[in-house]
Structures are given as structure tokens and as C-alpha cells.
Amino acid sequence: MSEIPAAEPTPTDGTPAEVAPADAAAGEAVTAPAAPPAPEAPTDPISAAVAPGYAFEGPALELGGLMLDADHLSDVHIKIPLGMLNRHGLVAGATGTGKTKTLQLLAEQLSANGVPVFAADIKGDLSGLSAPGEPSDKLTARTASVGQTWTATGFPTELYAIGGQGVGVPVRVTMSAFGPTLLAKVLGLNETQESSLGLVFYYCDSHGLPLLDLADLRAVLQYLTGDAAGKAELKSIGGLSPQTAGVILRELVSFEAQGAGVFFGEPEFETKDFLRTTDDGRGVISLLELPNLQDRPAIFSTFLMWLLADLFHDLPEEGDLDKPKLVFFFDEAHLLFNDASDAFLDQIAQTVRLIRSKGVGVFFVTQSPTDVPDDVLAQLGSRVQHQLRAHTPNDAKALKATVNTYPTSAYDDLGEVITSLGIGEAVVTVMNERGAPTPVAWTRLRAPESLMGAADTSAMEAAVKASPLATKYAEGVDRESARELLAKKLEEGARKAAEDAKVKEMAREQKNERVTEKATTKASRAAKPKDSMVETVVKSTAFKDFMRTAAREIARGMFNSGRR
């Protein structure tokens, strides 16, 4: 009886079974290879709590790896969904903890994803975004620890400078566009003076006086407070007293003496030039250089607020987009909020709240979350918190307030985590794709791929000269505005006053001549001698008639022609 070979096993998953080797022993069972093991679920409680919150389906920016404690790093990746960046964010931390590098990391990935970026380059080191980074052993070790494949890369960058004070393309704004509210913040005016300044702007608008620069506004205030005709018009502006106008004028003169006049004028910058991409689809990173502003911090922070408000004014409604049209980094944000009036804070909160629908995301960069008012802080969906220090009672109070702004975390003491963060580490929570906050994650941040420092000055100058925007904004324009119109008005008024004075003088001279002539006539009459009585009788009509009658009688008697 012949032996029947054993049948081949049928796989249960529908795939062909593996064929037995030729030299396999007869009757030996052949099994299919085992399927690859499924990823193991995190075994540590922190990874188990955090990892599901960062498992996004759509494109996202890579921030870094989840840390379990100061010495151990997990393989969980911490990200920000690209579509949630128009929900705004905050990058906070003490000086020297890595906020600028975090900003650089975010800008690089946004550009790579085709999103334009704007940032203020206060210290000058963000210009390195335009140049590839420099590798080092320390950098390699860090990137390997967070699973980053690092490649030295430069990104498309456009450099700007306020009023042309610096290397970049000049950025200017007209006084009318800047407006009284922002100007009052810069000048440090109180609410009453701010309201009065608004009346001056209204007066200029209603009288056709364009306000282009500081000299225009100064000329208007000098006219209203110094000229007789201006003082009369000042009375017609309700609520504006000469004393308040004088205070505004003095503050304006002091402001101009600081060199702030270069910020205002024409051609006015069009903020739509920030929304540019390159031919290969990368977003252009716009960096605004702010040199020599250490003594005038309120100027640059308020200028940034104008840029943001102008974007809000010009951009159309977009709703929720797959990715933002622009991400705006507002560095040293605490300077914007210091000593701000309630009306100014309300305007900021409204702008931040509504600009989301225009496709613009705003990241405030500052030292502590408590620097940002609650109405604004409540609208910031992404939070990257670097180390805070608690050396003083005020620091401890700020730390406690910061911890209270975070959702519940898997860490036993989040305050202790924040104070023990190393350089390049941060506590992160973002908004997931459904709009809910993600778990708090202690994160070792990735390294930027561009140069972490200032770019070469000659390379920056060459890039600015080659920019198509240089010819558009390089040369200032001084067209006829309020200053020239008021000068003409004053000149015309002076000419008319001179003519009126001349007419009055001529009239006075003619009157004097008439008075003199009349007096002369009277004097001549008074000087002529009076007739005697005999002369008066002789000159009388009766005497003349008597003499004529007597003459006739005498004539008749002589010629015998008298009565018979």
C-alpha cells in the first residue's frame, strides 16, 4: 500500500502557504511565518496618558519627543496640527531658556509646509533662518535623541527695517493709518488725552488735511494752539481744551526728538506683501529688524500691533482652512500690554479673536503667561512653556498662576516640572484636530536646521538689494499734506490780513484828509475880515435900488425929461 503524502496546510488569512523545502522530510508539517508583532502599548503611565492625544491624522509640525523625567526620553512625538495654528499660541519662558530657538523651529516647519511667517528680529539672530545650519557633535546627539533626521537647510527670507533704520527694506506707515489709539499708547497719554487726540484726527479728516508724518500732526496742533484762526477753530472741536492740546503737542515734539519721525511717511507698507510663497511652494519668512529700539520699546510693540490690525482690515474672511495663510510671531509681547488703557486692551483682544477667521495665526512670545491679559490668553490654543524661575515671592505667584492655566497633567507636580526644565525643553499643550486641548507634555524640542545665529551682513545686504520690494519701498515720498496745506492757509491768511490792513490804512488816510480839508476851509473863513456897517448897507439890495432910482431922477432933470 502506497503512502499518501500529507496535504499542505491552508492559511487562514487567505495568503498562499509557504512551499516546503525540497529536502524536507516526508510528512513534516510546514507552518507559515508569524505576522509582525503589533506595536506595544506604552507601559509607563505618562506615555500612556499623553501619546493618544498627539496621534494626529493630518499634517502637523514636529516639536520634539516626550520626556518621562529629566533623564529619560520616550519615543512619543509631540506635534501641533497645521490646521490649528490659526487658533493662536504662546511661547513663554525666562531669558535664555530657548524661546528664540523655538520660534525658529516653528518658522522653519511652517515655511516648509507653504505657510508664510512674520517675526520681529529684535536681537538680530533670526536672520540665520536664511542660511543652512552648522553641524556639531552636540547637535547630532540631540537630534538623534528625539528621532530627528537633521539636514542643514536655509529658508526663503525677506528682511525689513522700520523706517529704513537697518539693513532691510524700509517699512513705513502714514500717521492717518496708524491712528490716534495706537499713537496715544506710544505717547503715554491718559484716556482723556487719547480721546482729545482722536478729535484732532477727526478735525483733520473733516477739513481735508492728510496726516502723513509726525510733522503734519505737529503742524496741526501748533495751528490750533498758536494761531488766532486756529484757536477759533479749536473752540469748535468739542471736548478739546487748549491745555490738553498743548500736552499732546509737547509729547509729540519729545517723541519726534527721539528719532521716531522715520517710522511715519510714504510709501506706506502693504501688509499683503507678507503673504508670499516661493516658486517651489515654500512660505517666505518675513523678518522685521528693530535696531536702536532699546530705549523706545513701546514704539516697536505698537508698530507690530498696527501691522496685525492692518492685516485684519485688509484680508477677506476665510473661515477654517487646512493651513493658515500667515503665522504672526509677536515677540516681547509684554511691552504691548504694559500700562495699556482698557480701550487699547479691548482692541487687541477683539483683533486676536476675529483675525482667526482671516486665516492668520498669532503667537505671543514673552517671559510669563501672566504678561498677557486673560481675555487674550484665553484665545491661545497652543502653549509652549519654557523654564520659569521662582526665586522671589512674585516669581512664585506667577508660577502658580501659570500652572493654573494648564489642563490636568499626568505629572505629580507641574510647577516643579516647569522650574526644572533644561534649555531647549518645554511643557507643551496644543489644540487637537477636534479643537480640544491635548495632554500636557514635557518635551525635548527638536533643533532648528538653519543657522542658529545672525547671518552674514554682506549676504543680507545683497539679498535686500536683489529683492523686488526694495524698489517699491526704498525711496520715501513727501507729497502735499497737512503741513503744506496749513502753511498755504496761514500764508493766504497773512496776505489777506495785510490787504485788509492796507485798505483800513487808506481809509484812515482819506478820512484824515477830509477832516484836514474841512478844518482848513473853516480856518480860511474865520481869517477873512468882516464888512463895516456902511459896507453892509452899500452891499444891500435896498440901497442898490435906491441908488438906481436916484440916478434916474437926476438924469431926467438934467435932460428936461422930468414930469411936467
Side-chain angles (χ1 to χ4, degrees):
M1 183 173 176
S2 62
E3 185 173 297
I4 302 175
E8 295 181 359
T10 303
T12 58
D13 60 354
T15 59
E18 182 178 345
V19 179
D23 59 349
E28 184 177 349
V30 180
T31 58
E40 294 183 4
T43 55
D44 63 273
I46 293 179
S47 296
V50 172
Y54 292 88
F56 306 131
E57 297 179 358
L61 307 187
E62 290 276 355
L63 290 181
L66 174 67
M67 298 187 69
L68 305 179
D69 54 42
D71 301 318
H72 298 87
L73 189 70
S74 74
D75 59 357
V76 177
H77 287 215
I78 305 303
K79 315 172 190 177
I80 302 179
L82 190 61
M84 290 291 109
L85 285 170
N86 67 337
R87 297 308 208 279
H88 312 316
L90 174 74
V91 178
T95 301
T97 57
K99 297 191 298 296
T100 301
K101 299 301 179 286
T102 298
L103 193 160
Q104 189 171 348
L105 173 66
L106 294 173
E108 288 179 353
Q109 295 190 58
L110 286 166
S111 176
N113 281 276
V115 179
V117 174
F118 170 86
D121 191 7
I122 297 175
K123 295 175 287 188
D125 49 0
L126 283 178
S127 59
L129 279 160
S130 61
E134 298 176 349
S136 66
D137 293 341
K138 183 177 179 180
L139 179 65
T140 300
R142 182 179 186 86
T143 56
S145 69
V146 294
Q148 177 184 1
T149 303
W150 189 90
T151 303
T153 308
F155 294 84
T157 304
E158 187 77 65
L159 302 175
Y160 299 94
I162 293 182
Q165 288 193 334
V167 177
V169 175
V171 177
R172 303 180 186 88
V173 55
T174 62
M175 184 59 66
S176 294
F178 198 68
T181 302
L182 292 175
L183 183 60
K185 175 65 169 63
V186 173
L187 297 179
L189 303 181
N190 59 35
E191 293 187 11
T192 300
Q193 293 162 349
E194 178 182 335
S195 176
S196 298
L197 183 61
L199 292 174
V200 175
F201 273 72
Y202 173 77
Y203 167 80
C204 294
D205 291 340
S206 59
H207 287 74
L209 299 173
L211 294 175
L212 303 184
D213 52 26
L214 283 176
D216 287 326
L217 183 57
R218 177 165 46 81
V220 171
L221 287 167
Q222 288 173 337
Y223 169 71
L224 292 175
T225 57
D227 187 78
K231 290 180 179 179
E233 294 191 37
L234 181 65
K235 293 180 180 179
S236 66
I237 306 176
L240 179 58
S241 68
Q243 294 79 7
T244 301
V247 170
I248 297 173
L249 179 59
R250 288 194 298 271
E251 293 295 337
L252 195 65
V253 171
S254 175
F255 182 55
E256 192 171 11
Q258 297 176 17
V262 296
F263 304 153
F264 301 96
E266 290 186 318
E268 185 173 82
F269 184 75
E270 298 179 31
T271 49
K272 67 179 182 181
D273 287 330
F274 289 150
L275 279 67
R276 295 188 297 142
T277 55
T278 59
D279 293 338
D280 60 359
R282 293 186 297 172
V284 173
I285 302 173
S286 299
L287 300 177
L288 182 64
E289 186 181 1
L290 301 166
N292 305 320
L293 290 180
Q294 294 84 353
D295 298 330
R296 302 189 298 267
I299 296 176
F300 100 82
S301 63
T302 311
F303 197 92
L304 294 184
M305 190 63 219
W306 171 76
L307 292 175
L308 191 60
D310 195 64
L311 284 167
F312 172 73
H313 179 269
D314 290 347
L315 294 179
E317 291 285 337
E318 297 285 357
D320 288 327
L321 303 174
D322 292 336
K323 61 182 180 182
K325 297 172 67 174
L326 174 73
V327 173
F328 191 105
F329 288 93
F330 209 124
D331 205 356
E332 299 294 337
H334 65 281
L335 299 174
L336 180 68
F337 302 113
N338 286 348
D339 302 321
S341 66
D342 292 340
F344 187 74
L345 293 175
D346 289 343
Q347 183 178 354
I348 296 173
Q350 182 180 17
T351 301
V352 172
R353 182 171 61 253
L354 298 179
I355 204 170
R356 178 188 66 79
S357 63
K358 305 291 183 86
V360 177
V362 182
F363 271 71
F364 291 96
V365 183
T366 188
Q367 294 192 2
S368 172
T370 56
D371 295 335
V372 182
D374 291 344
D375 289 346
V376 177
L377 190 63
Q379 301 175 48
L380 308 184
S382 298
R383 305 273 295 278
V384 181
Q385 177 66 62
H386 289 266
Q387 183 194 87
L388 284 179
R389 302 181 179 111
H391 301 320
T392 68
N394 286 337
D395 291 342
K397 184 177 179 181
L399 175 63
K400 183 177 180 180
T402 298
V403 171
N404 290 336
T405 64
Y406 279 89
T408 303
S409 73
Y411 302 97
D412 295 333
D413 189 341
L414 184 59
E416 184 178 351
V417 171
I418 293 176
T419 56
S420 63
L421 292 170
I423 297 175
E425 297 177 2
V427 167
V428 175
T429 179
V430 303
M431 192 170 284
N432 66 20
E433 293 166 317
R434 296 186 300 104
T438 59
V440 176
W442 181 353
T443 307
R444 176 177 293 175
L445 299 170
R446 293 161 65 100
E449 297 182 335
S450 57
L451 181 65
M452 288 186 280
D456 180 69
T457 303
S458 59
M460 293 166 60
E461 292 175 346
V464 171
K465 290 180 180 178
S467 170
L469 298 180
T471 55
K472 182 177 180 181
Y473 296 113
E475 296 296 329
V477 177
D478 187 13
R479 63 181 174 93
E480 187 176 66
S481 56
R483 179 181 47 177
E484 291 80 11
L485 292 174
L486 282 176
K488 287 183 178 180
K489 184 175 182 179
L490 292 173
E491 183 179 349
E492 178 66 21
R495 185 186 63 79
K496 186 176 180 181
E499 290 180 353
D500 291 344
K502 187 176 181 179
V503 170
K504 290 180 180 179
E505 181 63 26
M506 292 175 62
R508 185 160 49 256
E509 290 178 356
Q510 291 177 356
K511 182 178 180 181
N512 291 338
E513 289 176 0
R514 288 195 299 270
V515 171
T516 303
E517 182 180 357
K518 187 175 181 180
T520 303
T521 302
K522 288 182 178 180
S524 62
R525 289 177 180 176
K528 187 176 180 180
K530 294 183 179 180
D531 294 335
S532 63
M533 184 175 294
V534 175
E535 290 174 336
T536 301
V537 172
V538 170
K539 291 179 179 180
S540 67
T541 303
F543 179 76
K544 291 178 181 179
D545 289 343
F546 170 76
M547 289 302 294
R548 282 194 294 269
T549 302
R552 285 195 300 269
E553 291 297 332
I554 293 171
R556 290 186 185 125
M558 289 174 63
F559 293 101
N560 295 321
S561 59
R563 294 179 182 176
R564 296 176 179 234

